[in-house]
Amino acid sequence: MLLGLGIELSPAHFLYTGPLLTAMPALAALTMGPVGTLSAAAGALGVSLTTTTMHHAWGDTQIYSNLLGLLVVSAASVMTSNAMCNRRQSELDQIRRIAVAAQEVILQPVPARLGPVRTSSLYLAAETGAQIGGDLYEALPTPYGVRVIVGDVRGKGLAAVRSAAAVLSAFREAAHYEDELMAVMNHCSAALRREHSGPDDAVKDCGDDHAEGFVTALVAQVPPGEPVVDVVNFGHPPPLLVHNGKVHELAPTSPLPPLGLEEFVTDPPAKAESYPFAVGDRLLLYTDGVIEARNRCKDFFALPEAIEAVHARTTEEFLGQLHDSLIRHTEGHLTDDTAMIVLERADV
């Protein structure tokens, strides 16, 4: 349109710009949507009317033919653009429904009550429009008590989702028949190795370095009838225990490497470590997306201080207030997936 207007206002105005302006709505319909197409048509029509009036060309049959063609092309372009937008929206809605279904399979909602504990969970994917990512969690009632896992897969994208699904599937199966937490995690590690060495090369060719991935993970167990919690930590941020309003970090005395890197350790695997977990205590398991979240000044999110500032009666309110604090700190700009799950001891 600017080119046509420039020609009409220059000494080269004898050149016929009608076909150029008539094509504008059709070109706009390819990318600009109904509103943008209508705006382009209005602009082309405005240029045509302005230049026709300036050159006193009214009465020329070619001018009327040009305006009629412009109106016909504009109407057809607007209808075409509207149909394309409706089709794209329908496809996007279908993709979102599939994403929600996938999230419900991989990250199933945590029940509000599991045996002697009350639970609540929160997941935030950093990627815009994503429902799932590389973080994982699960809480299950088992014959050995309530067992919980939280993990973080190295990397992002489809490869991270596949690794998270493999670890969660192994945990959901082994948690019900293995009496030792270390044995449960051995199953998870084996599932991760099988996933990385699988025959499907489609994911490996996507540039995600699928074969070199690993998973930091932490598994906790609240046995029935005992005021303790057992923890095994595979290179994951340590859980935080809230007792009488004070936050205590449950750092492992025998650190273990992330799942997938066990071959670099020569010492025998450690056993689960037990910590007091009395009635009313809360245990927060989280991924590094929480503690590594930064504000515009590059300050990390102070999770222990944020927990001590929370005054919530329920676990859902507890996570809700932490979520609000995290969003305020980052101003809504998360750079990594974030997962949190909280356990509250209800009875022994």
Side-chain angles (χ1 to χ4, degrees), residues 227-229 231 238-251 274-286 304 307-308 318 342-345:
V228 298
V229 58
V231 178
L240 298 177
L241 178 68
V242 186
H243 177 72
N244 292 333
K246 299 298 182 180
V247 178
H248 307 275
E249 183 181 86
L250 305 185
S274 295
Y275 303 91
F277 192 39
V279 174
D281 289 353
R282 286 174 175 166
L283 183 70
L284 179 68
L285 289 71
Y286 55 93
I307 292 175
E308 292 183 351
F318 179 85
V342 60
L343 310 178
E344 180 181 82
R345 192 70 191 237

PDB file of all heavy atoms in Angstrom, residues 227-229 231 238-251 274-286 304 307-308 318 342-345:
ATOM      1  N   PRO A 227       6.308 -42.031  64.159  1.00  0.00           N
ATOM      2  CA  PRO A 227       6.414 -40.584  63.908  1.00  0.00           C
ATOM      3  C   PRO A 227       7.718 -40.212  63.224  1.00  0.00           C
ATOM      4  O   PRO A 227       8.478 -39.345  63.698  1.00  0.00           O
ATOM      5  CB  PRO A 227       6.328 -39.994  65.317  1.00  0.00           C
ATOM      6  CG  PRO A 227       6.945 -41.035  66.186  1.00  0.00           C
ATOM      7  CD  PRO A 227       6.593 -42.364  65.574  1.00  0.00           C
ATOM      8  N   VAL A 228       8.021 -40.859  62.103  1.00  0.00           N
ATOM      9  CA  VAL A 228       9.262 -40.603  61.370  1.00  0.00           C
ATOM     10  C   VAL A 228       8.946 -40.515  59.879  1.00  0.00           C
ATOM     11  O   VAL A 228       7.876 -40.918  59.409  1.00  0.00           O
ATOM     12  CB  VAL A 228      10.310 -41.711  61.617  1.00  0.00           C
ATOM     13  CG1 VAL A 228      10.700 -41.773  63.084  1.00  0.00           C
ATOM     14  CG2 VAL A 228       9.794 -43.062  61.126  1.00  0.00           C
ATOM     15  N   VAL A 229       9.922 -39.995  59.160  1.00  0.00           N
ATOM     16  CA  VAL A 229       9.878 -40.027  57.703  1.00  0.00           C
ATOM     17  C   VAL A 229      11.227 -40.518  57.215  1.00  0.00           C
ATOM     18  O   VAL A 229      12.279 -40.090  57.697  1.00  0.00           O
ATOM     19  CB  VAL A 229       9.544 -38.637  57.111  1.00  0.00           C
ATOM     20  CG1 VAL A 229      10.560 -37.579  57.545  1.00  0.00           C
ATOM     21  CG2 VAL A 229       9.458 -38.702  55.600  1.00  0.00           C
ATOM     22  N   VAL A 231      13.929 -41.008  54.110  1.00  0.00           N
ATOM     23  CA  VAL A 231      14.274 -40.255  52.900  1.00  0.00           C
ATOM     24  C   VAL A 231      15.486 -40.871  52.231  1.00  0.00           C
ATOM     25  O   VAL A 231      16.463 -41.225  52.899  1.00  0.00           O
ATOM     26  CB  VAL A 231      14.551 -38.774  53.230  1.00  0.00           C
ATOM     27  CG1 VAL A 231      14.959 -38.014  51.973  1.00  0.00           C
ATOM     28  CG2 VAL A 231      13.338 -38.127  53.879  1.00  0.00           C
ATOM     29  N   PRO A 238      17.441 -30.971  49.070  1.00  0.00           N
ATOM     30  CA  PRO A 238      16.905 -31.650  50.265  1.00  0.00           C
ATOM     31  C   PRO A 238      15.529 -31.122  50.646  1.00  0.00           C
ATOM     32  O   PRO A 238      15.230 -29.937  50.454  1.00  0.00           O
ATOM     33  CB  PRO A 238      17.944 -31.328  51.343  1.00  0.00           C
ATOM     34  CG  PRO A 238      18.608 -30.088  50.871  1.00  0.00           C
ATOM     35  CD  PRO A 238      18.629 -30.170  49.376  1.00  0.00           C
ATOM     36  N   PRO A 239      14.679 -31.989  51.193  1.00  0.00           N
ATOM     37  CA  PRO A 239      13.341 -31.536  51.618  1.00  0.00           C
ATOM     38  C   PRO A 239      13.435 -30.623  52.830  1.00  0.00           C
ATOM     39  O   PRO A 239      14.447 -30.611  53.544  1.00  0.00           O
ATOM     40  CB  PRO A 239      12.622 -32.848  51.954  1.00  0.00           C
ATOM     41  CG  PRO A 239      13.719 -33.791  52.315  1.00  0.00           C
ATOM     42  CD  PRO A 239      14.889 -33.419  51.462  1.00  0.00           C
ATOM     43  N   LEU A 240      12.385 -29.868  53.057  1.00  0.00           N
ATOM     44  CA  LEU A 240      12.327 -28.936  54.174  1.00  0.00           C
ATOM     45  C   LEU A 240      11.233 -29.372  55.135  1.00  0.00           C
ATOM     46  O   LEU A 240      10.077 -29.569  54.735  1.00  0.00           O
ATOM     47  CB  LEU A 240      12.058 -27.508  53.681  1.00  0.00           C
ATOM     48  CG  LEU A 240      13.130 -26.923  52.749  1.00  0.00           C
ATOM     49  CD1 LEU A 240      12.716 -25.544  52.274  1.00  0.00           C
ATOM     50  CD2 LEU A 240      14.492 -26.888  53.427  1.00  0.00           C
ATOM     51  N   LEU A 241      11.602 -29.547  56.405  1.00  0.00           N
ATOM     52  CA  LEU A 241      10.664 -29.956  57.444  1.00  0.00           C
ATOM     53  C   LEU A 241      10.250 -28.730  58.244  1.00  0.00           C
ATOM     54  O   LEU A 241      11.105 -27.975  58.732  1.00  0.00           O
ATOM     55  CB  LEU A 241      11.320 -31.000  58.359  1.00  0.00           C
ATOM     56  CG  LEU A 241      10.473 -31.490  59.531  1.00  0.00           C
ATOM     57  CD1 LEU A 241       9.286 -32.303  59.042  1.00  0.00           C
ATOM     58  CD2 LEU A 241      11.331 -32.311  60.504  1.00  0.00           C
ATOM     59  N   VAL A 242       8.955 -28.535  58.382  1.00  0.00           N
ATOM     60  CA  VAL A 242       8.418 -27.420  59.154  1.00  0.00           C
ATOM     61  C   VAL A 242       7.919 -27.976  60.488  1.00  0.00           C
ATOM     62  O   VAL A 242       6.950 -28.739  60.534  1.00  0.00           O
ATOM     63  CB  VAL A 242       7.269 -26.718  58.415  1.00  0.00           C
ATOM     64  CG1 VAL A 242       6.826 -25.470  59.184  1.00  0.00           C
ATOM     65  CG2 VAL A 242       7.697 -26.341  56.997  1.00  0.00           C
ATOM     66  N   HIS A 243       8.622 -27.604  61.556  1.00  0.00           N
ATOM     67  CA  HIS A 243       8.272 -28.074  62.902  1.00  0.00           C
ATOM     68  C   HIS A 243       8.143 -26.868  63.825  1.00  0.00           C
ATOM     69  O   HIS A 243       9.100 -26.104  63.992  1.00  0.00           O
ATOM     70  CB  HIS A 243       9.354 -29.034  63.419  1.00  0.00           C
ATOM     71  CG  HIS A 243       9.124 -29.508  64.828  1.00  0.00           C
ATOM     72  ND1 HIS A 243       8.132 -30.403  65.156  1.00  0.00           N
ATOM     73  CD2 HIS A 243       9.758 -29.195  65.991  1.00  0.00           C
ATOM     74  CE1 HIS A 243       8.161 -30.638  66.456  1.00  0.00           C
ATOM     75  NE2 HIS A 243       9.143 -29.906  66.986  1.00  0.00           N
ATOM     76  N   ASN A 244       6.955 -26.703  64.394  1.00  0.00           N
ATOM     77  CA  ASN A 244       6.670 -25.567  65.285  1.00  0.00           C
ATOM     78  C   ASN A 244       6.992 -24.222  64.619  1.00  0.00           C
ATOM     79  O   ASN A 244       7.536 -23.313  65.251  1.00  0.00           O
ATOM     80  CB  ASN A 244       7.459 -25.703  66.595  1.00  0.00           C
ATOM     81  CG  ASN A 244       6.972 -26.867  67.434  1.00  0.00           C
ATOM     82  OD1 ASN A 244       5.802 -27.271  67.355  1.00  0.00           O
ATOM     83  ND2 ASN A 244       7.860 -27.423  68.243  1.00  0.00           N
ATOM     84  N   GLY A 245       6.684 -24.124  63.328  1.00  0.00           N
ATOM     85  CA  GLY A 245       6.882 -22.877  62.605  1.00  0.00           C
ATOM     86  C   GLY A 245       8.286 -22.634  62.123  1.00  0.00           C
ATOM     87  O   GLY A 245       8.539 -21.631  61.448  1.00  0.00           O
ATOM     88  N   LYS A 246       9.235 -23.510  62.444  1.00  0.00           N
ATOM     89  CA  LYS A 246      10.619 -23.359  62.025  1.00  0.00           C
ATOM     90  C   LYS A 246      10.942 -24.360  60.912  1.00  0.00           C
ATOM     91  O   LYS A 246      10.435 -25.482  60.912  1.00  0.00           O
ATOM     92  CB  LYS A 246      11.578 -23.555  63.199  1.00  0.00           C
ATOM     93  CG  LYS A 246      11.385 -22.538  64.323  1.00  0.00           C
ATOM     94  CD  LYS A 246      11.649 -21.116  63.830  1.00  0.00           C
ATOM     95  CE  LYS A 246      11.502 -20.112  64.957  1.00  0.00           C
ATOM     96  NZ  LYS A 246      11.745 -18.720  64.485  1.00  0.00           N
ATOM     97  N   VAL A 247      11.802 -23.932  60.011  1.00  0.00           N
ATOM     98  CA  VAL A 247      12.147 -24.750  58.847  1.00  0.00           C
ATOM     99  C   VAL A 247      13.501 -25.410  59.066  1.00  0.00           C
ATOM    100  O   VAL A 247      14.476 -24.738  59.441  1.00  0.00           O
ATOM    101  CB  VAL A 247      12.174 -23.899  57.566  1.00  0.00           C
ATOM    102  CG1 VAL A 247      12.575 -24.744  56.364  1.00  0.00           C
ATOM    103  CG2 VAL A 247      10.813 -23.256  57.336  1.00  0.00           C
ATOM    104  N   HIS A 248      13.551 -26.731  58.836  1.00  0.00           N
ATOM    105  CA  HIS A 248      14.783 -27.497  58.985  1.00  0.00           C
ATOM    106  C   HIS A 248      15.066 -28.232  57.671  1.00  0.00           C
ATOM    107  O   HIS A 248      14.192 -28.923  57.132  1.00  0.00           O
ATOM    108  CB  HIS A 248      14.677 -28.505  60.133  1.00  0.00           C
ATOM    109  CG  HIS A 248      14.253 -27.882  61.437  1.00  0.00           C
ATOM    110  ND1 HIS A 248      15.144 -27.296  62.303  1.00  0.00           N
ATOM    111  CD2 HIS A 248      13.019 -27.748  62.001  1.00  0.00           C
ATOM    112  CE1 HIS A 248      14.486 -26.828  63.357  1.00  0.00           C
ATOM    113  NE2 HIS A 248      13.201 -27.092  63.203  1.00  0.00           N
ATOM    114  N   GLU A 249      16.285 -28.090  57.185  1.00  0.00           N
ATOM    115  CA  GLU A 249      16.685 -28.779  55.960  1.00  0.00           C
ATOM    116  C   GLU A 249      17.154 -30.193  56.293  1.00  0.00           C
ATOM    117  O   GLU A 249      18.019 -30.381  57.146  1.00  0.00           O
ATOM    118  CB  GLU A 249      17.796 -27.999  55.271  1.00  0.00           C
ATOM    119  CG  GLU A 249      18.238 -28.596  53.955  1.00  0.00           C
ATOM    120  CD  GLU A 249      19.353 -27.799  53.307  1.00  0.00           C
ATOM    121  OE1 GLU A 249      20.525 -28.064  53.662  1.00  0.00           O
ATOM    122  OE2 GLU A 249      19.057 -26.921  52.491  1.00  0.00           O
ATOM    123  N   LEU A 250      16.591 -31.171  55.583  1.00  0.00           N
ATOM    124  CA  LEU A 250      16.947 -32.567  55.806  1.00  0.00           C
ATOM    125  C   LEU A 250      18.025 -32.979  54.790  1.00  0.00           C
ATOM    126  O   LEU A 250      17.774 -33.731  53.853  1.00  0.00           O
ATOM    127  CB  LEU A 250      15.717 -33.465  55.688  1.00  0.00           C
ATOM    128  CG  LEU A 250      14.526 -33.098  56.591  1.00  0.00           C
ATOM    129  CD1 LEU A 250      13.422 -34.135  56.464  1.00  0.00           C
ATOM    130  CD2 LEU A 250      14.975 -32.957  58.049  1.00  0.00           C
ATOM    131  N   ALA A 251      19.224 -32.450  54.993  1.00  0.00           N
ATOM    132  CA  ALA A 251      20.327 -32.751  54.078  1.00  0.00           C
ATOM    133  C   ALA A 251      20.823 -34.173  54.311  1.00  0.00           C
ATOM    134  O   ALA A 251      20.948 -34.625  55.455  1.00  0.00           O
ATOM    135  CB  ALA A 251      21.463 -31.759  54.291  1.00  0.00           C
ATOM    136  N   SER A 274      16.309 -41.673  58.407  1.00  0.00           N
ATOM    137  CA  SER A 274      15.062 -41.394  59.118  1.00  0.00           C
ATOM    138  C   SER A 274      15.173 -40.081  59.887  1.00  0.00           C
ATOM    139  O   SER A 274      16.223 -39.766  60.460  1.00  0.00           O
ATOM    140  CB  SER A 274      14.719 -42.534  60.089  1.00  0.00           C
ATOM    141  OG  SER A 274      14.452 -43.732  59.377  1.00  0.00           O
ATOM    142  N   TYR A 275      14.072 -39.340  59.894  1.00  0.00           N
ATOM    143  CA  TYR A 275      13.985 -38.076  60.603  1.00  0.00           C
ATOM    144  C   TYR A 275      12.666 -38.033  61.371  1.00  0.00           C
ATOM    145  O   TYR A 275      11.667 -38.624  60.946  1.00  0.00           O
ATOM    146  CB  TYR A 275      14.036 -36.900  59.627  1.00  0.00           C
ATOM    147  CG  TYR A 275      15.249 -36.876  58.748  1.00  0.00           C
ATOM    148  CD1 TYR A 275      15.237 -37.511  57.499  1.00  0.00           C
ATOM    149  CD2 TYR A 275      16.410 -36.224  59.138  1.00  0.00           C
ATOM    150  CE1 TYR A 275      16.344 -37.487  56.676  1.00  0.00           C
ATOM    151  CE2 TYR A 275      17.534 -36.191  58.319  1.00  0.00           C
ATOM    152  CZ  TYR A 275      17.489 -36.827  57.082  1.00  0.00           C
ATOM    153  OH  TYR A 275      18.593 -36.811  56.265  1.00  0.00           O
ATOM    154  N   PRO A 276      12.619 -37.329  62.497  1.00  0.00           N
ATOM    155  CA  PRO A 276      11.351 -37.201  63.232  1.00  0.00           C
ATOM    156  C   PRO A 276      10.302 -36.480  62.388  1.00  0.00           C
ATOM    157  O   PRO A 276      10.602 -35.507  61.697  1.00  0.00           O
ATOM    158  CB  PRO A 276      11.735 -36.369  64.460  1.00  0.00           C
ATOM    159  CG  PRO A 276      13.218 -36.539  64.593  1.00  0.00           C
ATOM    160  CD  PRO A 276      13.742 -36.693  63.207  1.00  0.00           C
ATOM    161  N   PHE A 277       9.088 -36.993  62.450  1.00  0.00           N
ATOM    162  CA  PHE A 277       7.974 -36.398  61.697  1.00  0.00           C
ATOM    163  C   PHE A 277       6.727 -36.528  62.565  1.00  0.00           C
ATOM    164  O   PHE A 277       5.963 -37.487  62.455  1.00  0.00           O
ATOM    165  CB  PHE A 277       7.808 -37.112  60.359  1.00  0.00           C
ATOM    166  CG  PHE A 277       6.885 -36.415  59.398  1.00  0.00           C
ATOM    167  CD1 PHE A 277       6.874 -35.034  59.288  1.00  0.00           C
ATOM    168  CD2 PHE A 277       6.026 -37.151  58.583  1.00  0.00           C
ATOM    169  CE1 PHE A 277       6.030 -34.394  58.389  1.00  0.00           C
ATOM    170  CE2 PHE A 277       5.181 -36.529  57.690  1.00  0.00           C
ATOM    171  CZ  PHE A 277       5.189 -35.145  57.585  1.00  0.00           C
ATOM    172  N   ALA A 278       6.530 -35.546  63.445  1.00  0.00           N
ATOM    173  CA  ALA A 278       5.460 -35.608  64.435  1.00  0.00           C
ATOM    174  C   ALA A 278       4.157 -35.075  63.863  1.00  0.00           C
ATOM    175  O   ALA A 278       4.116 -34.479  62.784  1.00  0.00           O
ATOM    176  CB  ALA A 278       5.861 -34.811  65.685  1.00  0.00           C
ATOM    177  N   VAL A 279       3.094 -35.304  64.618  1.00  0.00           N
ATOM    178  CA  VAL A 279       1.778 -34.814  64.225  1.00  0.00           C
ATOM    179  C   VAL A 279       1.815 -33.293  64.120  1.00  0.00           C
ATOM    180  O   VAL A 279       2.320 -32.602  65.008  1.00  0.00           O
ATOM    181  CB  VAL A 279       0.705 -35.263  65.240  1.00  0.00           C
ATOM    182  CG1 VAL A 279      -0.644 -34.637  64.905  1.00  0.00           C
ATOM    183  CG2 VAL A 279       0.605 -36.777  65.261  1.00  0.00           C
ATOM    184  N   GLY A 280       1.306 -32.757  63.012  1.00  0.00           N
ATOM    185  CA  GLY A 280       1.319 -31.322  62.770  1.00  0.00           C
ATOM    186  C   GLY A 280       2.509 -30.837  61.980  1.00  0.00           C
ATOM    187  O   GLY A 280       2.496 -29.697  61.467  1.00  0.00           O
ATOM    188  N   ASP A 281       3.559 -31.652  61.851  1.00  0.00           N
ATOM    189  CA  ASP A 281       4.713 -31.266  61.041  1.00  0.00           C
ATOM    190  C   ASP A 281       4.355 -31.315  59.557  1.00  0.00           C
ATOM    191  O   ASP A 281       3.490 -32.090  59.133  1.00  0.00           O
ATOM    192  CB  ASP A 281       5.895 -32.194  61.306  1.00  0.00           C
ATOM    193  CG  ASP A 281       6.502 -31.977  62.676  1.00  0.00           C
ATOM    194  OD1 ASP A 281       6.090 -31.016  63.360  1.00  0.00           O
ATOM    195  OD2 ASP A 281       7.380 -32.775  63.062  1.00  0.00           O
ATOM    196  N   ARG A 282       5.051 -30.494  58.815  1.00  0.00           N
ATOM    197  CA  ARG A 282       4.875 -30.486  57.362  1.00  0.00           C
ATOM    198  C   ARG A 282       6.219 -30.714  56.689  1.00  0.00           C
ATOM    199  O   ARG A 282       7.254 -30.208  57.139  1.00  0.00           O
ATOM    200  CB  ARG A 282       4.268 -29.162  56.880  1.00  0.00           C
ATOM    201  CG  ARG A 282       2.784 -29.024  57.192  1.00  0.00           C
ATOM    202  CD  ARG A 282       2.253 -27.657  56.846  1.00  0.00           C
ATOM    203  NE  ARG A 282       0.807 -27.584  57.054  1.00  0.00           N
ATOM    204  CZ  ARG A 282       0.112 -26.461  57.097  1.00  0.00           C
ATOM    205  NH1 ARG A 282       0.722 -25.288  56.951  1.00  0.00           N
ATOM    206  NH2 ARG A 282      -1.204 -26.485  57.294  1.00  0.00           N
ATOM    207  N   LEU A 283       6.187 -31.476  55.607  1.00  0.00           N
ATOM    208  CA  LEU A 283       7.391 -31.783  54.842  1.00  0.00           C
ATOM    209  C   LEU A 283       7.177 -31.315  53.411  1.00  0.00           C
ATOM    210  O   LEU A 283       6.233 -31.744  52.750  1.00  0.00           O
ATOM    211  CB  LEU A 283       7.688 -33.282  54.864  1.00  0.00           C
ATOM    212  CG  LEU A 283       8.973 -33.714  54.165  1.00  0.00           C
ATOM    213  CD1 LEU A 283      10.191 -33.242  54.952  1.00  0.00           C
ATOM    214  CD2 LEU A 283       9.015 -35.240  53.987  1.00  0.00           C
ATOM    215  N   LEU A 284       8.052 -30.431  52.939  1.00  0.00           N
ATOM    216  CA  LEU A 284       7.945 -29.901  51.582  1.00  0.00           C
ATOM    217  C   LEU A 284       9.021 -30.520  50.701  1.00  0.00           C
ATOM    218  O   LEU A 284      10.219 -30.417  50.996  1.00  0.00           O
ATOM    219  CB  LEU A 284       8.096 -28.379  51.585  1.00  0.00           C
ATOM    220  CG  LEU A 284       8.025 -27.721  50.202  1.00  0.00           C
ATOM    221  CD1 LEU A 284       6.619 -27.848  49.622  1.00  0.00           C
ATOM    222  CD2 LEU A 284       8.450 -26.257  50.258  1.00  0.00           C
ATOM    223  N   LEU A 285       8.600 -31.166  49.622  1.00  0.00           N
ATOM    224  CA  LEU A 285       9.488 -31.681  48.595  1.00  0.00           C
ATOM    225  C   LEU A 285       9.288 -30.812  47.361  1.00  0.00           C
ATOM    226  O   LEU A 285       8.154 -30.492  46.992  1.00  0.00           O
ATOM    227  CB  LEU A 285       9.183 -33.139  48.273  1.00  0.00           C
ATOM    228  CG  LEU A 285       9.558 -34.198  49.329  1.00  0.00           C
ATOM    229  CD1 LEU A 285       8.644 -34.130  50.537  1.00  0.00           C
ATOM    230  CD2 LEU A 285       9.481 -35.598  48.727  1.00  0.00           C
ATOM    231  N   TYR A 286      10.381 -30.471  46.682  1.00  0.00           N
ATOM    232  CA  TYR A 286      10.305 -29.493  45.603  1.00  0.00           C
ATOM    233  C   TYR A 286      11.428 -29.760  44.603  1.00  0.00           C
ATOM    234  O   TYR A 286      12.337 -30.565  44.851  1.00  0.00           O
ATOM    235  CB  TYR A 286      10.446 -28.070  46.171  1.00  0.00           C
ATOM    236  CG  TYR A 286      11.695 -27.889  46.995  1.00  0.00           C
ATOM    237  CD1 TYR A 286      12.871 -27.405  46.433  1.00  0.00           C
ATOM    238  CD2 TYR A 286      11.725 -28.253  48.353  1.00  0.00           C
ATOM    239  CE1 TYR A 286      14.031 -27.271  47.179  1.00  0.00           C
ATOM    240  CE2 TYR A 286      12.882 -28.113  49.110  1.00  0.00           C
ATOM    241  CZ  TYR A 286      14.023 -27.629  48.522  1.00  0.00           C
ATOM    242  OH  TYR A 286      15.173 -27.508  49.251  1.00  0.00           O
ATOM    243  N   PRO A 304      13.113 -21.055  52.438  1.00  0.00           N
ATOM    244  CA  PRO A 304      12.869 -21.210  53.880  1.00  0.00           C
ATOM    245  C   PRO A 304      12.179 -19.997  54.497  1.00  0.00           C
ATOM    246  O   PRO A 304      11.253 -20.149  55.310  1.00  0.00           O
ATOM    247  CB  PRO A 304      14.273 -21.428  54.450  1.00  0.00           C
ATOM    248  CG  PRO A 304      15.071 -21.988  53.321  1.00  0.00           C
ATOM    249  CD  PRO A 304      14.532 -21.308  52.110  1.00  0.00           C
ATOM    250  N   ILE A 307       8.569 -19.945  53.535  1.00  0.00           N
ATOM    251  CA  ILE A 307       7.777 -20.936  54.274  1.00  0.00           C
ATOM    252  C   ILE A 307       7.434 -20.421  55.664  1.00  0.00           C
ATOM    253  O   ILE A 307       6.293 -20.556  56.130  1.00  0.00           O
ATOM    254  CB  ILE A 307       8.549 -22.266  54.355  1.00  0.00           C
ATOM    255  CG1 ILE A 307       8.662 -22.902  52.964  1.00  0.00           C
ATOM    256  CG2 ILE A 307       7.864 -23.225  55.325  1.00  0.00           C
ATOM    257  CD1 ILE A 307       9.500 -24.155  52.946  1.00  0.00           C
ATOM    258  N   GLU A 308       8.403 -19.828  56.332  1.00  0.00           N
ATOM    259  CA  GLU A 308       8.153 -19.339  57.685  1.00  0.00           C
ATOM    260  C   GLU A 308       7.155 -18.182  57.699  1.00  0.00           C
ATOM    261  O   GLU A 308       6.520 -17.919  58.727  1.00  0.00           O
ATOM    262  CB  GLU A 308       9.475 -18.906  58.334  1.00  0.00           C
ATOM    263  CG  GLU A 308      10.414 -20.077  58.614  1.00  0.00           C
ATOM    264  CD  GLU A 308      11.683 -19.652  59.329  1.00  0.00           C
ATOM    265  OE1 GLU A 308      11.905 -18.426  59.443  1.00  0.00           O
ATOM    266  OE2 GLU A 308      12.441 -20.531  59.785  1.00  0.00           O
ATOM    267  N   PHE A 318      -1.295 -23.783  52.097  1.00  0.00           N
ATOM    268  CA  PHE A 318       0.152 -23.678  52.265  1.00  0.00           C
ATOM    269  C   PHE A 318       0.841 -23.531  50.917  1.00  0.00           C
ATOM    270  O   PHE A 318       1.647 -22.601  50.714  1.00  0.00           O
ATOM    271  CB  PHE A 318       0.653 -24.918  53.013  1.00  0.00           C
ATOM    272  CG  PHE A 318       2.134 -24.959  53.226  1.00  0.00           C
ATOM    273  CD1 PHE A 318       2.718 -24.315  54.307  1.00  0.00           C
ATOM    274  CD2 PHE A 318       2.957 -25.659  52.356  1.00  0.00           C
ATOM    275  CE1 PHE A 318       4.095 -24.351  54.499  1.00  0.00           C
ATOM    276  CE2 PHE A 318       4.324 -25.716  52.548  1.00  0.00           C
ATOM    277  CZ  PHE A 318       4.895 -25.056  53.632  1.00  0.00           C
ATOM    278  N   VAL A 342       3.571 -31.178  49.358  1.00  0.00           N
ATOM    279  CA  VAL A 342       3.700 -31.018  50.796  1.00  0.00           C
ATOM    280  C   VAL A 342       2.939 -32.150  51.502  1.00  0.00           C
ATOM    281  O   VAL A 342       1.855 -32.565  51.058  1.00  0.00           O
ATOM    282  CB  VAL A 342       3.174 -29.644  51.260  1.00  0.00           C
ATOM    283  CG1 VAL A 342       1.707 -29.456  50.913  1.00  0.00           C
ATOM    284  CG2 VAL A 342       3.418 -29.444  52.735  1.00  0.00           C
ATOM    285  N   LEU A 343       3.554 -32.674  52.569  1.00  0.00           N
ATOM    286  CA  LEU A 343       2.950 -33.716  53.389  1.00  0.00           C
ATOM    287  C   LEU A 343       2.776 -33.144  54.794  1.00  0.00           C
ATOM    288  O   LEU A 343       3.700 -32.549  55.339  1.00  0.00           O
ATOM    289  CB  LEU A 343       3.830 -34.957  53.453  1.00  0.00           C
ATOM    290  CG  LEU A 343       4.348 -35.548  52.138  1.00  0.00           C
ATOM    291  CD1 LEU A 343       5.234 -36.743  52.434  1.00  0.00           C
ATOM    292  CD2 LEU A 343       3.213 -35.927  51.222  1.00  0.00           C
ATOM    293  N   GLU A 344       1.606 -33.353  55.366  1.00  0.00           N
ATOM    294  CA  GLU A 344       1.360 -32.924  56.748  1.00  0.00           C
ATOM    295  C   GLU A 344       0.966 -34.154  57.561  1.00  0.00           C
ATOM    296  O   GLU A 344       0.021 -34.872  57.197  1.00  0.00           O
ATOM    297  CB  GLU A 344       0.244 -31.891  56.797  1.00  0.00           C
ATOM    298  CG  GLU A 344      -0.056 -31.423  58.214  1.00  0.00           C
ATOM    299  CD  GLU A 344      -1.205 -30.404  58.245  1.00  0.00           C
ATOM    300  OE1 GLU A 344      -2.376 -30.851  58.224  1.00  0.00           O
ATOM    301  OE2 GLU A 344      -0.941 -29.209  58.278  1.00  0.00           O
ATOM    302  N   ARG A 345       1.688 -34.381  58.658  1.00  0.00           N
ATOM    303  CA  ARG A 345       1.387 -35.536  59.515  1.00  0.00           C
ATOM    304  C   ARG A 345       0.090 -35.271  60.263  1.00  0.00           C
ATOM    305  O   ARG A 345       0.001 -34.332  61.071  1.00  0.00           O
ATOM    306  CB  ARG A 345       2.524 -35.774  60.499  1.00  0.00           C
ATOM    307  CG  ARG A 345       2.436 -37.110  61.229  1.00  0.00           C
ATOM    308  CD  ARG A 345       2.721 -38.235  60.268  1.00  0.00           C
ATOM    309  NE  ARG A 345       2.421 -39.536  60.796  1.00  0.00           N
ATOM    310  CZ  ARG A 345       3.309 -40.525  60.873  1.00  0.00           C
ATOM    311  NH1 ARG A 345       4.556 -40.332  60.488  1.00  0.00           N
ATOM    312  NH2 ARG A 345       2.965 -41.711  61.314  1.00  0.00           N
TER     313      ARG A 345
END
